[in-house]
Amino acid sequence: MRQQRKRLGDLLVEAGLLTEEQLQTTLAEKTEGQKLGDALLQRGYITEQQLIEVLEFQLGIPHVSLYRYPLDIKLLSLIPKETAKRQLMIPLKKEENRLFVAMADPMDYYSIEDLRLSTGFQIETAIATKDDIIRAIKKYYDVDDSFDELTLPSPQEELPGDPAFAEEDSPIVRLVNQLLSNAVTEKASDIHIDPQETKVIVRFRVDGMLQIERQLPKHLQSMLIARIKIMASLDITEHRVPQDGRIKTNVDFRPIDLRVSTLPTIYGEKVVMRILDLSSSLNDLNQLGFNSVNLKRFKSMIESPNGIVLITGPTGSGKSSTLYAALNKLNQEEVNIITVEDPVEYQLEGVNQIQVNPNVGLTFAAGLRSILRQDPNIIMVGEIRDKETAEVAIRASLTGHLVLSTLHTNDSLTSITRLVDMGVEPFLVASSVSGIVAQRLVRKVCRDCAEEQEVSQREKEIFAQRGLRIEKVTRGRGCSSCNMTGYKGRLAIHEVLTMTEEIRKVILNNEPFSKMKEIARKQKTIFLIDDGLLKVKQGITTTEEVLRAALME
């Protein structure tokens, strides 16, 4: 009698990787035609490695790690690079008339049949993670894309008007496309092109840390930068002043938006490209890493009909993501939401977004004044940079509008003193600000290689200082899916300060900063360091990461 094969969801629940509740909500919410595994990965309930181990058991198909797998490079010609990328497959080895292929989806019978017909081999499948296959394709196929013609010193520099800058198969165009593709694959947030005296270094910022991707010969510098400038519609003849532009493109069948900034340095122009992956922008408040107390406080702030809600933190601390998630939650047909941003990062449907343009006099303050005549309910100001913007935003909040904005300060309490230092009257700050969220990003421990470890004496002391106890900490050993770093992905730690009568009195009376801190502590405000340490306790991140992002007092 044939044994009944168990369903994937039941196996995951049995293995303790998923709760019945998570399974049912995913089944109810997933889009039609979407595989259950993909829907669970998208929600972050399981990791790809966990999914593969269960699939291996369910399907009886072996699982292979490509990190150090000795691939037979001669077989790459059997599967074209485009097919390999689109179907997520890579040939492993050949035995007589059998071809062994690693696939992200070994149930894709159409692709297997196509491959059998095109190669004439019997196809044997193995299962591998998406990231693993993409990394292998990048490593083995791209070596084949010979950039030899580029790396040889050219007798003459190509000029930007040269057809080499426009043709899709020209070496410099291929090089730029490959850099973008690699950056998206590695989930980098920025690409840095740094000219040095004798070479050009390309670095990717992955999970907040810069790492060298490759070094290029110096003679490529002008061609590479000219190509990027052409894509971003910048002036290629101007090398002496900084320029900003934008590139909209598709990388590996996904829409990607790039913000480009050039800066003249002594060795040539440095280019930084910020990658805005439109398909992966987080727009759900519940997925931002707020703990339950902070989430409740933040929701009550943004649901109030008026007042200013400030989100603070340095550049790259995820302020925009939090703002967009808040706007997404508030975006209903009965409210009019208008934003003034510099630049508009993500485009939200149903929200009127204005791009600041100082060249024609459209500053934050001027844009804000015009918005008030447009009968808005909710206003979002990209950033409060000066007294004028702050005052217009405060007046808007006092006349019955909810205003969301950001400030560059270190924590929630210093935002109040910063507004006062800008020249805003303390009584205006006290009456308009309804809450402040300070946030930082910390790297998450890789779930595939996480292991519990003993706590060091220093860690015990740090936790004891904050009135917490800890027995075990979780750290990543380092594996192929996290590139041997032990960390994969990031989440935010928060400090949510609700404005109460007591804090308002302190501001009005110009009392010292320490008094405000004392009141915040009495109100059980969870400070950045405390929220971080609570997340260490849950095994999500490490003490080193939290101390890198937040200061001990």
Side-chain angles (χ1 to χ4, degrees):
M1 189 178 140
R2 190 162 171 268
Q3 190 186 349
Q4 178 66 38
R5 185 184 282 168
K6 286 191 176 175
R7 290 182 310 178
L8 174 66
D10 299 334
L11 282 169
L12 287 165
V13 172
E14 269 177 37
L17 300 171
L18 202 62
T19 65
E20 186 63 44
E21 188 188 352
Q22 287 172 330
L23 174 63
Q24 294 310 327
T25 45
T26 310
L27 284 168
E29 290 171 11
K30 77 183 179 79
T31 52
E32 201 180 331
Q34 189 182 25
K35 294 191 181 107
L36 174 64
D38 290 343
L40 291 167
L41 287 175
Q42 196 182 330
R43 286 167 177 72
Y45 290 152
I46 55 170
T47 70
E48 207 171 353
Q49 194 67 35
Q50 291 167 338
L51 175 65
I52 278 185
E53 282 164 13
V54 172
L55 280 175
E56 178 182 17
F57 174 74
Q58 188 202 21
L59 306 172
I61 293 173
H63 156 226
V64 58
S65 167
L66 302 175
Y67 189 64
R68 289 211 174 92
Y69 195 92
L71 290 187
D72 186 345
I73 294 174
K74 292 196 283 292
L75 298 175
L76 295 179
S77 57
L78 292 174
I79 304 178
K81 182 179 169 185
E82 283 310 308
T83 310
K85 269 188 169 176
R86 195 170 50 249
Q87 315 286 11
L88 289 176
M89 53 165 67
I90 193 161
L92 298 172
K93 59 181 181 180
K94 184 177 82 176
E95 281 177 11
E96 295 164 2
N97 70 333
R98 291 183 304 164
L99 178 67
F100 290 81
V101 179
M103 297 178 73
D105 180 9
M107 306 297 285
D108 185 352
Y109 296 120
Y110 291 112
S111 300
I112 295 169
E113 190 58 19
D114 284 348
L115 193 58
R116 187 181 71 78
L117 292 169
S118 64
T119 60
F121 287 102
Q122 279 301 112
I123 307 298
E124 296 279 344
T125 56
I127 186 169
T129 64
K130 251 185 216 168
D131 287 351
D132 230 1
I133 291 177
I134 292 170
R135 219 176 273 133
I137 291 171
K138 188 180 87 178
K139 185 173 167 188
Y140 294 103
Y141 278 95
D142 290 344
V143 169
D144 209 34
D145 284 2
S146 67
F147 291 118
D148 297 346
E149 53 216 286
L150 270 180
T151 44
L152 295 170
S154 51
Q156 58 180 57
E157 289 281 301
E158 291 185 67
L159 295 168
D162 198 296
F165 284 86
E167 288 170 18
E168 273 308 305
D169 59 348
S170 79
I172 198 74
V173 172
R174 286 212 315 267
L175 175 66
V176 172
N177 291 349
Q178 196 187 329
L179 285 177
L180 293 180
S181 174
N182 291 0
V184 171
T185 304
E186 293 192 19
K187 297 187 173 59
S189 60
D190 302 81
I191 303 171
H192 288 238
I193 295 169
D194 298 329
Q196 314 259 308
E197 192 172 2
T198 56
K199 57 185 183 263
V200 179
I201 291 178
V202 179
R203 294 186 294 172
F204 291 170
R205 189 180 287 283
V206 180
D207 288 342
M209 296 292 185
L210 278 170
Q211 56 193 43
I212 292 179
E213 159 70 8
R214 65 177 69 186
Q215 296 188 3
L216 297 167
K218 183 74 176 170
H219 71 265
L220 283 187
Q221 182 179 317
S222 55
M223 288 155 62
L224 180 67
I225 288 166
R227 170 63 191 160
I228 292 168
K229 281 183 168 182
I230 287 170
M231 289 173 78
S233 308
L234 299 177
D235 183 353
I236 50 176
T237 59
E238 182 57 82
H239 308 289
R240 297 159 303 172
V241 294
Q243 297 186 64
D244 291 311
R246 208 165 181 150
I247 300 173
K248 269 194 156 137
T249 182
N250 277 332
V251 175
D252 298 340
F253 317 107
R254 283 156 69 183
I256 299 290
D257 227 352
L258 296 151
R259 253 172 44 204
V260 182
S261 165
T262 72
L263 185 75
T265 69
I266 53 170
Y267 296 125
E269 285 177 285
K270 172 179 166 67
V271 177
V272 176
M273 294 188 272
R274 162 68 58 94
I275 301 171
L276 303 168
D277 187 346
L278 303 178
S279 58
S280 73
S281 62
L282 262 183
N283 277 335
D284 185 359
L285 272 183
N286 301 321
Q287 289 180 5
L288 293 177
F290 277 101
N291 72 35
S292 51
V293 179
N294 281 345
L295 184 61
K296 198 173 167 187
R297 286 180 184 172
F298 183 55
K299 277 184 176 168
S300 70
M301 275 179 208
I302 61 172
E303 281 162 5
S304 65
N306 59 342
I308 293 186
V309 177
L310 290 172
I311 297 175
T312 78
T315 310
S317 60
K319 298 190 296 295
S320 299
S321 297
T322 307
L323 267 184
Y324 282 115
L327 284 181
N328 207 40
K329 181 168 171 51
L330 297 168
N331 190 3
Q332 310 286 336
E333 65 175 270
E334 57 268 16
V335 291
N336 178 17
I337 303 178
I338 308 183
T339 73
V340 199
E341 302 169 64
D342 180 21
V344 172
E345 288 192 20
Y346 296 109
Q347 280 132 22
L348 293 173
E349 207 174 312
V351 175
N352 309 290
Q353 293 169 284
I354 302 170
Q355 167 90 39
V356 167
N357 186 351
N359 300 336
V360 294
L362 179 53
T363 58
F364 276 122
L368 249 176
R369 282 197 192 90
S370 316
I371 284 178
L372 291 173
R373 295 193 280 277
Q374 290 276 326
D375 181 34
N377 301 85
I378 297 164
I379 300 169
M380 193 266 263
V381 186
E383 190 186 331
I384 293 179
R385 292 179 186 165
D386 50 42
K387 180 185 176 186
E388 195 184 5
T389 314
E391 285 189 337
V392 182
I394 283 170
R395 297 227 157 81
S397 75
L398 292 174
T399 51
H401 301 91
L402 175 65
V403 181
L404 304 174
S405 189
T406 69
L407 257 185
H408 283 264
T409 56
N410 286 331
D411 58 30
S412 54
L413 291 165
T414 45
S415 306
I416 296 168
T417 47
R418 174 76 192 279
L419 285 172
V420 175
D421 289 346
M422 269 185 190
V424 180
E425 292 293 336
F427 75 88
L428 283 174
V429 176
S431 53
S432 62
V433 177
S434 55
I436 302 169
V437 178
Q439 76 173 57
R440 296 286 186 285
L441 290 178
V442 292
R443 291 185 292 168
K444 290 196 287 191
V445 173
C446 171
R447 283 161 66 178
D448 292 328
C449 60
E451 58 180 18
E452 284 199 338
Q453 292 182 2
E454 289 299 316
V455 186
S456 68
Q457 192 54 41
R458 175 81 185 109
E459 279 178 306
K460 278 183 183 164
E461 287 166 16
I462 290 166
F463 274 82
Q465 266 178 308
R466 309 300 302 176
L468 297 165
R469 287 186 57 204
I470 187 157
E471 302 299 324
K472 287 265 190 285
V473 287
T474 307
R475 283 193 175 81
R477 280 192 315 276
C479 64
S480 60
S481 69
C482 63
N483 240 342
M484 293 321 218
T485 56
Y487 295 102
K488 190 169 188 189
R490 289 191 292 176
L491 89 159
I493 55 173
H494 301 92
E495 174 176 309
V496 179
L497 179 77
T498 314
M499 283 298 239
T500 57
E501 284 311 310
E502 289 165 297
I503 292 182
R504 288 197 169 99
K505 272 182 199 156
V506 172
I507 300 168
L508 287 169
N509 300 337
N510 269 338
E511 290 182 48
F513 181 74
S514 53
K515 182 82 188 285
M516 208 159 26
K517 193 148 207 163
E518 207 177 296
I519 292 169
R521 198 172 275 122
K522 274 183 196 158
Q523 288 174 4
K524 295 198 165 55
T525 300
I526 301 170
F527 293 105
L528 274 172
I529 186 89
D530 300 326
D531 192 32
L533 294 179
L534 288 168
K535 285 182 169 120
V536 173
K537 223 173 159 175
Q538 291 167 353
I540 305 172
T541 185
T542 61
T543 321
E544 295 85 356
E545 274 298 295
V546 173
L547 293 180
R548 197 174 54 80
L551 292 168
M552 284 291 283
E553 288 161 33

